[in-house]
Amino acid sequence: MSAPPELPPLVVRALRMSLERGYVQTSRSETGRLLATLAATRAGTIAECGTGCGVGAAWLRSGAPKDTRVITAELDPELAHGVMVMFADDDIDVMHADWTSLAQHAPFSLIFLDAASAKSWPREDIIDLVEPGGMIVLDDFVPSAGWPPIAGGRVDVVRQQWLADDRFTSVDVMVAEDTSVIIAVRR
Ligand SMILES: C[S@@+](CC[C@H](N)C(=O)[O-])C[C@H]1O[C@@H](n2cnc3c(N)ncnc32)[C@H](O)[C@@H]1O
């Protein structure tokens, strides 16, 4: 993807924390730029499942309007507390909790499902977390040109079901040669 090389200062700080901790699960910048762009259209509350070192939350906060709340949940206590300290003055609410605890702050105008269990969670429960017109974002898919989507020689059932569910208007966006992101908007 072609994009200016500069990264938002919040993202730079989160990337620095990832580097210092040897944390390798951070969201890629291509995905981050998409998150920031989507967040720019969102009012209300945006949620992230799985904070990691805060890179996704930093992209969301960098794109979102000032009045939009950004909240993120991380199960690992050291990561959660590290990110809480890092973002103490940055208007990002960090919870040390299982992502399912985010439900108490729903409905969301966007939810980024970036913890493994959230991605495979029943869509019936996820749909209740977002308002009509709200977005659900899932990343790290292997680009697949045909239908059904294939990954590792098998049908990618999770992606197939998200894209075929008629409660959503959905798209699989290839953000780089080797990775794609699903955006599902609740009808
Ligand atoms: C792919 S990483 C998150 C990367 C981060 N969102 C980013 O944009 O850089 C997934 C994270 O989810 C966390 N996690 C796993 N299970 C979880 C759960 N049930 N609730 C909250 N966080 C969880 C992991 O500890 C890990 O840090």
Side-chain angles (χ1 to χ4, degrees):
M1 184 172 82
S2 134
E6 297 81 20
L7 298 172
L10 267 185
V11 173
V12 172
R13 274 166 42 209
L15 284 172
R16 198 170 293 140
M17 175 174 163
S18 308
L19 207 62
E20 284 165 4
R21 297 192 179 222
Y23 182 86
V24 294
Q25 299 181 66
T26 51
S27 287
R28 297 168 56 147
S29 294
E30 295 92 337
T31 302
R33 288 186 197 283
L34 179 61
L35 289 173
T37 304
L38 297 175
T41 72
R42 303 289 90 188
T45 304
I46 289 175
E48 179 190 47
C49 308
T51 312
C53 286
V55 172
W59 278 110
L60 290 167
R61 180 70 278 164
S62 301
K66 203 174 175 313
D67 291 344
T68 299
R69 183 180 187 198
V70 175
I71 182 164
T72 179
E74 170 60 51
L75 202 54
D76 180 298
E78 287 186 14
L79 290 175
H81 290 112
V83 176
M84 264 177 219
V85 170
M86 175 172 64
F87 289 154
D89 298 323
D90 295 306
D91 215 8
I92 297 174
D93 295 329
V94 184
M95 293 170 67
H96 168 217
D98 188 284
W99 68 267
T100 52
S101 305
L102 288 166
Q104 61 193 293
H105 302 285
F108 303 119
S109 55
L110 183 156
I111 186 166
F112 178 32
L113 304 181
D114 205 19
S117 59
K119 277 187 180 159
S120 52
W121 206 259
R123 288 183 312 290
E124 285 61 38
D125 294 341
I126 301 288
I127 197 168
D128 286 341
L129 296 177
V130 291
E131 59 197 30
M135 296 174 176
I136 298 152
V137 182
L138 303 92
D139 71 344
D140 292 336
F141 292 98
V142 178
S144 173
W147 185 261
I150 304 289
R154 292 167 179 263
V155 173
D156 185 340
V157 176
V158 168
R159 178 166 28 172
Q160 181 187 30
Q161 291 179 345
W162 273 105
L163 292 170
D165 188 325
D166 61 14
R167 291 169 297 181
F168 304 99
T169 298
S170 306
V171 64
D172 184 3
V173 181
M174 197 169 144
V175 293
E177 237 171 62
D178 57 344
T179 192
S180 78
V181 177
I182 291 178
I183 305 166
V185 176
R186 181 178 174 181
R187 291 181 196 268

